[in-house]
Amino acid sequence: MSARVDLDDLDNARNYSPVRAYGNAKLEHVLFTRELHDRYHEQGLSELPRVS
């Protein structure tokens, strides 16, 4: 499985595949988490509060 984010087709409307959608969602989650870390780690935010 490989994931590649197509910024022109974020909802996979043109070329939908469940496996591709899953891989893209996982990759996007990792990229988002890394960006949060890069932006806020120096300010002391190391994790987000959990919602019960």
Side-chain angles (χ1 to χ4, degrees):
M1 175 188 328
S2 69
R4 189 173 343 153
V5 178
D6 181 357
L7 297 177
D8 294 324
D9 188 25
L10 289 176
D11 60 355
N12 295 310
R14 283 182 288 191
N15 218 1
Y16 181 76
S17 159
V19 173
R20 182 179 295 122
Y22 178 82
N24 285 350
K26 288 297 186 182
L27 175 60
E28 291 161 2
H29 187 252
V30 168
L31 295 174
F32 178 75
T33 303
R34 287 187 63 177
E35 183 63 26
L36 281 178
H37 174 80
D38 291 346
R39 287 186 186 197
Y40 299 110
H41 183 71
E42 288 183 7
Q43 298 173 21
L45 179 65
S46 60
E47 64 182 51
L48 297 173
R50 296 181 185 178
V51 177
S52 299

